[in-house]
Amino acid sequence: MNSGEIVNIVVVGGGTAGWMTAAALVKLLPGRCSVRLVESEAIGIVGVGEATLPHIRAFNERLGIREADFMAWTRGTFKMGIEFRHWGAEGDSYIHPFGTFGPGSGEIDFHQYWLRMRHEGVPVPDLEQFSMGATIGRMNRFQLPVSDPRSIASTYGYAYQFDATLFAPYLRQLAEGLGAERTEGKVVAVNRNGESGDIESLTLESGEIIAGDLFVDCSGFVSLLIGKALDEPFQDWSHWLPCDRAMAMPCRTETALTPYTSAIAMKAGWRWRIPLQHRTGNGYVYSSSFISDDEARDAIVGAVEGEAIAEPRILKFRAGRRERSWVNNCVSVGLASGFLEPLESTSIYLIQQTITYLVELFPEREISPVDRDEFNRLIDMEYDRIRDFLILHYHATTRSGMEFWDYVRTMPVPDTLADKLELFRRRGRVVKYREGVFLDASWIAVYLGQGVVPEGHDLRADAPPSESIAKGMHQLRDQIRTAVERMPDHREHLDRYCPMAKVA
Ligand SMILES: Cc1cc2nc3c(=O)[nH]c(=O)nc-3n(C[C@H](O)[C@H](O)[C@H](O)COP(=O)(O)OP(=O)(O)OC[C@H]3O[C@@H](n4cnc5c(N)ncnc54)[C@H](O)[C@@H]3O)c2cc1C
């Protein structure tokens, strides 16, 4: 029975996680909660996190955010997927696109026909050319997809690349407009009930005490509540994902304003390239066990494609997550809960999912352990799926002769990933997820992009005559090219749709 009581929520942290949480709670649970957010400008935010996944569009829509307005404010660009350069082997490049390969419908996955052609030695274009998303990216165009499922222009999705330092302020004005209350100050003590262990209040440096029913830890890597105060153990995944640092350095956008993020393999990790309207974000994600910070700094300085607009900045992290994301009356969101490197732009997605599950399982003042356990189960599932997907990128490679790559190529991987790889190697079959992140096409893009070629294919792909498959494929490739050629250039579209706004 719902009690109808108002739950008093205290959010600690005003980065992307804090303001996404505050905005979503006041918008989606009106009359059920009050939201007070405490943040310290002196501590500041992590200030990176510029590439997203298509799911963010649904989040923004639920919050009533107008796309063009949001993109103009955050100086955003469109993102059709991620280009992986030099991952499977030195010199190669593939795009993991948002959307499907082929027409996106049919009894069996399109790539099964493509595999059959390969097995029979029939020449067909690269798989990437059957993706609208990848083709739009390669041709540097953009146009919104259509909703008619019969159209090839309905087979792609898109996300955003935006200035991370402008996203939280954007959400802040929205959240405050809806009634969230902000307190500037540094939390210096977390006060717990001696019996239950629940958090009762926080003490600020000013001496002010802030009490609440539910506390949301969005304090970033410091993990002030769930990590420090509640001492929830951290599951360390660095043996599978050894990158533990990033050297970030933005530059002017002097080369193409590509509608995709690039992830370029380097000696001991990889570097990102994220073009925004006003600048390009760059950073070298590396493992400090394999190269020094000085070497990483030199590498990123040498690699950026435009005039640098800031000195290189180092960020330190560890791959993994808290054993439980919700403990007692404390829910952790964002970096406070865990971190997986930004190779597939998943952190903001994880924040969004955590908030979604919190809203779905939103507690009474008296928290039910059943809701909490279900929440933790869902979060574990999200993290574990992403973890396996990221490890795949490192493990499925022929890069060799570099200590870092020799390590990741030969390391034992989680059983869950080993099973998925085996399944794909036999007949190109992928584990099917009904929803969430990284559905079939994502796994197919990375497996095939990195050279994991199955021995066989789905038997049903043998039914049509070979010539008709090959002919249909060439026609489809041409249809995609023609449709994309008609689209406006990416920059042209941005200038018309969402030219960047001046931000105070
Ligand atoms: C190198 C790197 C690259 C990344 N790239 C991407 C990407 O491309 N895509 C993506 O989705 N994600 C990316 N991320 C992750 C992304 O940056 C974060 O998920 C996102 O910014 C959320 O951060 P946060 O709000 O959890 O923490 P933060 O931004 O660190 O915010 C923490 C907040 O807590 C406050 N705080 C801390 N201690 C106290 C205290 N004692 N009292 C009061 N307030 C306090 C701080 O002032 C701040 O407001 C990247 C992360 C890194 C490290």
Side-chain angles (χ1 to χ4, degrees):
M1 179 78 95
N2 291 351
S3 69
E5 292 169 330
I6 298 266
V7 178
N8 298 305
I9 298 174
V10 180
V11 177
V12 176
T16 298
W19 284 112
M20 278 177 81
T21 305
L25 292 178
V26 284
K27 174 77 181 178
L28 303 175
L29 294 166
R32 290 306 321 272
C33 62
S34 71
V35 176
R36 183 150 180 205
L37 183 146
V38 186
E39 67 173 314
S40 161
E41 265 172 28
I43 295 174
I45 65 170
V46 70
V48 281
E50 303 183 328
T52 63
L53 293 177
H55 308 72
I56 193 170
R57 287 166 42 217
F59 181 84
N60 283 1
E61 261 168 42
R62 288 183 80 191
L63 263 56
I65 291 173
R66 269 192 54 240
E67 181 175 80
D69 178 56
F70 158 79
M71 288 188 72
W73 174 288
T74 59
R75 302 173 179 191
T77 53
F78 290 103
K79 174 178 173 189
M80 309 307 301
I82 304 179
E83 178 208 20
F84 289 92
R85 237 184 276 165
H86 310 307
W87 280 80
E90 197 66 36
D92 69 7
S93 162
Y94 72 94
I95 287 186
H96 161 202
F98 302 138
T100 61
F101 291 102
S105 55
E107 197 182 324
I108 58 172
D109 288 335
F110 176 83
H111 78 287
Q112 292 290 355
Y113 295 109
W114 185 86
L115 284 175
R116 176 182 158 199
M117 295 291 93
R118 289 277 302 254
H119 290 143
E120 290 179 4
V122 179
V124 281
D126 285 347
L127 190 67
E128 192 177 285
Q129 297 190 34
F130 299 104
S131 154
M132 278 292 286
T135 309
I136 293 170
R138 291 285 186 207
M139 292 173 76
N140 207 355
R141 308 289 168 109
F142 187 76
Q143 192 164 290
L144 296 173
V146 302
S147 54
D148 180 355
R150 290 164 306 178
S151 166
I152 193 73
S154 69
T155 59
Y156 62 94
Y158 68 92
Y160 312 117
Q161 304 167 135
F162 54 64
D163 188 327
T165 61
L166 301 175
F167 187 38
Y170 184 87
L171 294 169
R172 176 181 162 185
Q173 46 141 20
L174 181 88
E176 288 186 318
L178 290 166
E181 208 187 308
R182 174 186 182 275
T183 300
E184 169 63 35
K186 187 174 169 192
V187 176
V188 290
V190 178
N191 311 309
R192 300 176 66 189
N193 181 295
E195 256 174 52
S196 66
D198 281 1
I199 299 175
E200 288 181 337
S201 63
L202 308 173
T203 307
L204 304 191
E205 205 169 35
S206 62
E208 187 182 355
I209 305 237
I210 299 183
D213 302 314
L214 183 71
F215 289 78
V216 187
D217 187 353
C218 298
S219 63
F221 284 131
V222 64
S223 197
L224 201 62
L225 309 188
I226 199 150
K228 285 214 166 126
L230 298 184
D231 205 19
E232 180 64 10
F234 187 82
Q235 250 185 45
D236 188 330
W237 291 339
S238 52
H239 51 296
W240 289 315
L241 294 166
C243 287
D244 57 357
R245 291 190 188 180
M247 192 69 75
M249 192 174 87
C251 70
R252 290 192 199 290
T253 301
E254 290 171 6
T255 49
L257 191 74
T258 49
Y260 55 82
T261 295
S262 296
I264 302 149
M266 304 278 281
K267 183 179 160 192
W270 60 280
R271 74 178 162 93
W272 75 78
R273 175 184 179 278
I274 307 177
L276 313 178
Q277 290 191 44
H278 61 311
R279 64 165 170 79
T280 296
N282 307 283
Y284 185 178
V285 176
Y286 59 98
S287 168
S288 61
S289 305
F290 294 91
I291 57 163
S292 68
D293 297 335
D294 285 344
E295 211 181 324
R297 188 176 292 108
D298 291 347
I300 193 70
V301 168
V304 297
E305 295 161 13
E307 186 194 333
I309 49 180
E311 288 299 312
R313 176 165 75 103
I314 194 168
L315 296 121
K316 299 183 181 175
F317 48 80
R318 193 159 45 125
R321 63 166 166 82
R322 298 279 151 203
E323 296 270 352
R324 293 168 302 168
S325 291
W326 185 344
V327 180
N328 286 72
N329 62 339
C330 173
V331 177
S332 56
V333 184
L335 301 175
S337 118
F339 185 65
L340 288 167
E341 60 179 83
L343 185 57
E344 284 280 358
S345 320
T346 42
S347 287
I348 294 173
Y349 164 80
L350 279 169
I351 294 172
Q352 169 181 351
Q353 283 307 95
T354 309
I355 296 167
T356 303
Y357 295 138
L358 177 60
V359 169
E360 283 171 7
L361 294 161
F362 195 72
E364 306 290 307
R365 269 196 184 157
E366 195 68 43
I367 295 168
S368 152
V370 184
D371 291 341
R372 201 166 41 204
D373 291 350
E374 174 62 1
F375 175 91
N376 286 328
R377 188 187 69 78
L378 292 165
I379 301 294
D380 289 0
M381 212 175 61
E382 295 281 354
Y383 265 98
D384 294 357
R385 195 192 300 179
I386 294 171
R387 179 200 65 195
D388 281 6
F389 193 53
L390 297 188
I391 297 171
L392 171 67
H393 295 65
Y394 286 108
H395 189 61
T397 184
T398 56
R399 288 175 72 88
S400 65
M402 285 167 273
E403 267 185 277
F404 173 84
W405 291 96
D406 289 342
Y407 170 76
V408 290
R409 196 187 62 251
T410 55
M411 69 186 171
V413 298
D415 291 346
T416 42
L417 175 59
D419 291 348
K420 288 179 191 121
L421 262 164
E422 199 43 43
L423 193 66
F424 189 78
R425 282 198 176 109
R426 257 190 63 65
R427 289 182 189 277
R429 189 164 164 69
V430 281
V431 173
K432 302 273 179 193
Y433 299 111
R434 267 184 300 138
E435 54 187 26
V437 73
F438 306 135
L439 306 180
D440 313 6
S442 296
W443 289 85
I444 292 164
V446 177
Y447 284 135
L448 293 173
Q450 302 216 180
V452 183
V453 181
E455 290 151 19
H457 51 265
D458 190 315
L459 297 177
R460 291 169 297 173
D462 286 332
S466 180
E467 313 74 63
S468 81
I469 296 180
K471 189 170 163 215
M473 283 192 167
H474 283 99
Q475 281 172 347
L476 179 63
R477 192 266 318 262
D478 293 347
Q479 188 193 354
I480 288 174
R481 278 194 78 84
T482 308
V484 176
E485 270 162 6
R486 290 200 191 109
M487 294 182 178
D489 172 79
H490 180 216
R491 165 76 81 177
E492 210 180 288
H493 188 82
L494 293 170
D495 287 347
R496 222 181 23 235
Y497 183 67
C498 53
M500 68 186 202
K502 290 217 171 353
V503 179

